[in-house]
Amino acid sequence: GNSVTQMEGPVTLSEEAFLTINCTYTATGYPSLFWYVQYPGEGLQLLLKATKADDKGSNKGFEATYRKETTSFHLEKGSVQVSDSAVYFCALRSAGGQNFVFGPGTRLSVLP
Amino acid sequence: GAVVSQHPSRVICKSGTSVKIECRSLDFQATTMFWYRQFPKKSLMLMATSNEGSKATYEQGVEKDKFLINHASLTLSTLTVTSAHPEDSSFYICSARESSTEAFFGQGTRLTVV
């Protein structure tokens, strides 16, 4: 079946540091890939997505590139801020599918 | 972007009582709604998928008689936790989508059963 694996953290960085959160997936066909962010006490918000190989999703300084050859969708940001502290979930939705499969989430803490 | 409103955001109930959680799509018609449960420091686990006007499809291991899902209109789905027990305490999140677009998530409901 489909699955998503991501580094579980927690990840603690200083402000303005470079962020990478690794995400790899297992799926048949060509799934769509997503990163969601969950701030404390809140639901999930879509951060970015990519629907086909080599697509790059980007938003709020975050980027992730859909790599079919390595089945990866790593999240990166060049300079994190304290306000980026949250839990980040990598997810996929299979082609033609309805529901999402989520990774375990990575808690990021950014210190001033 | 589209808005999904979930209510209440927090609820505390006594063991043995029932609790209803509402999920509304405010600016689009949600042909499909999903209910997830999130355990502390864990990922989201899909509980059930519901299509408007149809019975919900439950994931393996989810008790359909305990977690009643109703999707009576294109903008509203409800999850009722019946005869709640402390082990039902959790964070419940709904999501909704139109026929061919991405899904949008509600803000979640933290249920505490005492």
Side-chain angles (χ1 to χ4, degrees):
Chain A
N2 297 339
S3 66
V4 176
T5 303
Q6 64 180 105
M7 53 191 293
E8 295 196 29
V11 174
T12 303
L13 296 173
S14 297
E15 205 164 22
E16 299 184 359
F18 184 85
L19 169 71
T20 299
I21 301 177
N22 290 337
C23 171
T24 57
Y25 68 91
T26 301
T28 55
Y30 296 88
S32 294
L33 302 175
F34 305 81
W35 277 100
Y36 281 87
V37 58
Q38 184 179 32
Y39 297 101
E42 299 184 11
L44 273 67
Q45 300 176 27
L46 177 64
L47 182 59
L48 53 85
K49 66 177 181 180
T51 58
K52 61 182 187 297
D54 299 325
D55 267 2
K56 177 186 282 187
S58 61
N59 185 27
K60 299 181 181 179
F62 291 89
E63 292 183 341
T65 301
Y66 189 145
R67 301 288 187 199
K68 181 72 174 174
E69 63 277 14
T70 55
T71 61
S72 65
F73 193 54
H74 304 322
L75 181 69
E76 296 182 336
K77 186 174 185 181
S79 177
V80 294
Q81 305 300 312
V82 173
S83 57
D84 294 326
S85 298
V87 180
Y88 293 81
F89 292 93
C90 185
L92 70 82
R93 189 176 71 221
S94 59
Q98 295 193 93
N99 59 289
F100 291 81
V101 175
F102 287 89
T106 301
R107 182 173 300 278
L108 170 67
S109 296
V110 181
L111 305 178
Chain B
V3 177
V4 174
S5 176
Q6 192 172 335
H7 178 81
S9 58
R10 295 176 184 271
V11 59
I12 300 173
C13 71
K14 290 185 177 180
S15 186
T17 62
S18 296
V19 174
K20 181 183 286 188
I21 302 170
E22 293 187 347
C23 180
R24 294 181 183 273
S25 57
L26 298 186
D27 52 2
F28 67 100
Q29 294 186 323
T31 53
T32 307
M33 286 189 170
F34 308 88
W35 287 96
Y36 295 85
R37 181 173 178 176
Q38 185 179 31
F39 295 93
K41 299 184 179 180
K42 297 289 185 182
S43 188
L44 283 75
M45 304 299 297
L46 178 66
M47 299 174 66
T49 302
S50 72
N51 293 297
E52 185 265 339
S54 304
K55 288 185 178 180
T57 302
Y58 289 80
E59 296 298 301
Q60 191 173 11
V62 178
E63 299 176 59
K64 63 178 68 175
D65 293 331
K66 180 166 190 62
F67 298 100
L68 301 179
I69 291 172
N70 183 282
H71 191 171
S73 78
L74 284 170
T75 59
L76 174 64
S77 176
T78 59
L79 166 66
T80 301
V81 183
T82 62
S83 187
H85 288 96
E87 56 265 30
D88 299 324
S89 299
S90 194
F91 195 61
Y92 294 87
I93 301 178
C94 72
S95 72
R97 69 183 291 223
E98 293 181 278
S99 56
S100 59
T101 61
E102 66 189 77
F104 298 91
F105 288 80
Q107 68 268 47
T109 297
R110 181 161 301 286
L111 169 64
T112 303
V113 184
V114 298

